[in-house]
Amino acid sequence: MGLTLTWLGIIVLIPLAGLFLKSFELSFAQFVDIVTSRRTLNALKISFGLAFLAALVNLVMGSIIVWALVRYRFPGRRILDAIVDVPFALPTAVAGIALTTLFAQNGWLGAPLAELGIKVAFTPLGIFVAMVFIGIPFVVRTVQPVLIDLDPEIEEAAASLGASRWQTVWRVILPSLFPALLTGFALAFARAVGEYGSVIFIAGNLPNVSEIAPLLIVIRLSEFRYADATAIAVVMLVVAFLVIFVINRLQRWAQLRVPTH
């Protein structure tokens, strides 16, 4: 226990404490001015808003992918299963360059989308695409083992008792998967909020338009405005902690409601 607490303190608590201590170099008025400036608020809105939307999309699409991988046998299933891990293994900068090339106006996907009037690269939509890309494995790999352990005979029993397919999904499958789905959502959200490498290449990085909060922190550090950077980081940390706390409470509530089979 002592070794665990010591290691946790060195790796997590001391750096976080240093972050807060550095922000104390600012007066309260200076702190408020920095975190409520138009540029900071827009950057935070882009980072948290798009991360939340990307996590929602990953929650839905990740669940569909997991269902296909676990419940069906088809040619190329193992290859598809391995492809899910590519965002884990790919360096973020490589992912960013690849997505930018793909969704640029002359790219394979960007060109037909541009003809439809949809511009992806160098817009907030590009940030959203990058966040979806890096977040999808978190949902799949969190939900997959739970669905594997969920015996299909339970679904057959529900069907034999007269439950429709929708009732089986809503009352039997989803309650069992809900804690894992929430965990996957939280992990995908947290990764997207802090993502930097795969986003900056496709974002365009225009202040107040497509500038993410982590990039604004880097800009402030390059300007030697360390206290300003830590003030933005403190806001990100507090907001992310509150979101994760709420999700964890929901997860705990869902675990208590999981039916025992």
Side-chain angles (χ1 to χ4, degrees), residues 92-205:
T92 56
V94 176
I97 293 171
L99 290 173
T100 305
T101 303
L102 192 63
F103 286 99
Q105 283 191 306
N106 58 350
W108 288 355
L109 295 179
L113 289 173
E115 292 181 0
L116 298 174
I118 302 172
K119 185 179 179 182
V120 178
F122 315 123
T123 68
L125 182 57
I127 300 174
F128 172 75
V129 170
M131 288 179 172
V132 170
F133 176 80
I134 55 95
I136 191 70
F138 290 93
V139 175
V140 174
R141 293 307 181 217
T142 304
V143 178
Q144 192 174 22
V146 180
L147 185 59
I148 290 174
D149 290 339
L150 190 63
D151 195 341
E153 291 183 357
I154 298 173
E155 302 169 39
E156 296 172 3
S160 66
L161 293 174
S164 66
R165 186 59 181 166
W166 171 248
Q167 288 174 320
T168 303
V169 171
W170 183 253
R171 297 189 176 184
V172 177
I173 299 173
L174 272 183
S176 299
L177 296 182
F178 198 58
L181 288 171
L182 281 177
T183 301
F185 175 86
L187 292 174
F189 172 79
R191 172 65 190 276
V193 166
E195 182 58 23
Y196 180 79
S198 62
V199 171
I200 56 170
F201 294 100
I202 198 172
N205 307 319

Side-chain angles (χ1 to χ4, degrees), residues 3-249:
L3 179 61
T4 302
L5 293 177
T6 302
W7 189 246
L8 181 66
I10 293 174
I11 299 299
V12 179
L13 298 182
I14 291 178
L16 294 182
L19 185 67
F20 280 95
L21 289 174
K22 186 65 180 178
S23 67
F24 288 158
E25 294 180 3
L26 299 167
S27 67
F28 181 73
Q30 288 174 321
F31 182 89
V32 172
D33 285 342
I34 292 168
V35 300
T36 58
S37 68
R38 179 168 174 259
R39 187 173 179 179
T40 301
L41 289 177
N42 283 327
L44 292 171
K45 183 173 67 177
I46 290 171
S47 287
F48 283 98
L50 293 179
F52 186 79
L53 292 176
L56 282 179
V57 170
N58 281 327
L59 184 66
V60 176
M61 299 308 299
S63 301
I64 295 172
I65 292 173
V66 169
W67 188 266
L69 290 175
V70 174
R71 286 290 192 258
Y72 297 99
R73 296 293 179 269
F74 53 89
R77 187 177 66 89
R78 292 184 181 279
I79 296 176
L80 179 61
D81 194 25
I83 289 175
V84 170
D85 288 331
V86 168
F88 275 150
L90 201 63
T92 56
V94 176
I97 293 171
L99 290 173
T100 305
T101 303
L102 192 63
F103 286 99
Q105 283 191 306
N106 58 350
W108 288 355
L109 295 179
L113 289 173
E115 292 181 0
L116 298 174
I118 302 172
K119 185 179 179 182
V120 178
F122 315 123
T123 68
L125 182 57
I127 300 174
F128 172 75
V129 170
M131 288 179 172
V132 170
F133 176 80
I134 55 95
I136 191 70
F138 290 93
V139 175
V140 174
R141 293 307 181 217
T142 304
V143 178
Q144 192 174 22
V146 180
L147 185 59
I148 290 174
D149 290 339
L150 190 63
D151 195 341
E153 291 183 357
I154 298 173
E155 302 169 39
E156 296 172 3
S160 66
L161 293 174
S164 66
R165 186 59 181 166
W166 171 248
Q167 288 174 320
T168 303
V169 171
W170 183 253
R171 297 189 176 184
V172 177
I173 299 173
L174 272 183
S176 299
L177 296 182
F178 198 58
L181 288 171
L182 281 177
T183 301
F185 175 86
L187 292 174
F189 172 79
R191 172 65 190 276
V193 166
E195 182 58 23
Y196 180 79
S198 62
V199 171
I200 56 170
F201 294 100
I202 198 172
N205 307 319
L206 294 175
N208 302 313
V209 178
S210 59
E211 185 179 59
I212 58 173
L215 176 62
L216 184 56
I217 292 173
V218 172
I219 291 173
R220 293 294 180 248
L221 291 174
S222 65
E223 295 170 345
F224 304 105
R225 297 165 60 179
Y226 300 122
D228 293 26
T230 54
I232 301 171
V234 165
V235 173
M236 290 191 70
L237 177 63
V238 171
V239 174
F241 177 80
L242 290 175
V243 172
I244 298 299
F245 177 78
V246 171
I247 292 174
N248 283 339
R249 296 306 302 172

